[in-house]
Amino acid sequence: EVQLVQSGAEVKRPGESLKISCKGSGYKFTSYWIGWVRQMPGKGLEWLGIIYPGDSDTRYSPSFQGQVTISADNSLNTAYLQWSSLRASDTAIYYCARLEMATMVAFDIWGQGTMVSVSS
Amino acid sequence: SSELTQDPAVSVALGQTVRITCQGDSLRTYFASWYHQKPGQAPVLVLYGKNNRPSGIPDRFSGSYSGDTASLTITGAQAEDEADYYCNSRDSSGNHLWVFGGGTKLSVL
């Protein structure tokens, strides 16, 4: 079964760092782009960025460039999203999703989401 | 960058047909894809490309395009179709960027 499994919920203080993960299984991890999507409480989906694990090519939404870092460890079939200094406004659910290859538009497999809560 | 615009809310009577639209310049160049999301759940892909449904998605879901607008049509809406629906596509800049629409809340009455 093709799936993406994300790390568990996090509760952090402003200014702290954080790295959340997304582990792929059931397919060749290095052959598919993995994207990250934010959903703030009660709001819609926002695309943050994407990585191609095969060569670590990474792209960011202009809205999130410099705010987060996306990486991957192919030996672990895992992609990561990290913050060096969290803000309360980073409170959201973060999803990883696999980009399907036929159209290079649709995200066909989604992780279950990681809830990140940032509060003093 | 580019934007995708969706109506915030749409309603449909049980068993009737409803169309949800997504408008944006990038849709003149790139396909749209569609997702539904129910409360507390991750989004699920329901339609992509010209008119492709992933395995397990009922054939009452179909798609079409006209100019800068993509449409998702549900023919014979069921109670379980009540959800938030999002479109997404590529950014028209061609710089390997993606974008989501603001979402449409579908109510099945």
Side-chain angles (χ1 to χ4, degrees), chain B residues 59-79:
Chain B
D59 61 5
R60 62 178 179 271
F61 291 88
S62 63
S64 61
Y65 295 84
S66 178
D68 67 351
T69 299
S71 299
L72 170 70
T73 299
I74 307 174
T75 303
Q78 302 299 303

Side-chain angles (χ1 to χ4, degrees), chain B residues 13-69:
Chain B
L14 185 68
Q16 297 303 301
T17 296
V18 62
R19 186 171 66 182
I20 299 170
T21 61
C22 176
Q23 183 269 331
D25 286 344
S26 64
L27 299 180
R28 297 183 184 276
T29 305
Y30 298 104
F31 288 121
S33 55
W34 292 92
Y35 310 83
H36 69 200
Q37 185 183 34
K38 298 180 181 180
Q41 298 183 18
V44 173
L45 179 67
V46 298
L47 205 71
Y48 66 101
K50 193 172 184 179
N51 190 16
N52 301 307
R53 285 174 285 105
S55 174
I57 301 301
D59 61 5
R60 62 178 179 271
F61 291 88
S62 63
S64 61
Y65 295 84
S66 178
D68 67 351
T69 299

Side-chain angles (χ1 to χ4, degrees), chain B residues 82-103:
Chain B
E82 184 163 290
D84 293 326
Y85 286 81
Y86 296 93
C87 62
N88 94 288
S89 188
R90 295 281 293 271
D91 182 275
S92 56
S93 68
N95 289 331
H96 269 52
L97 302 178
W98 282 257
V99 63
F100 283 90

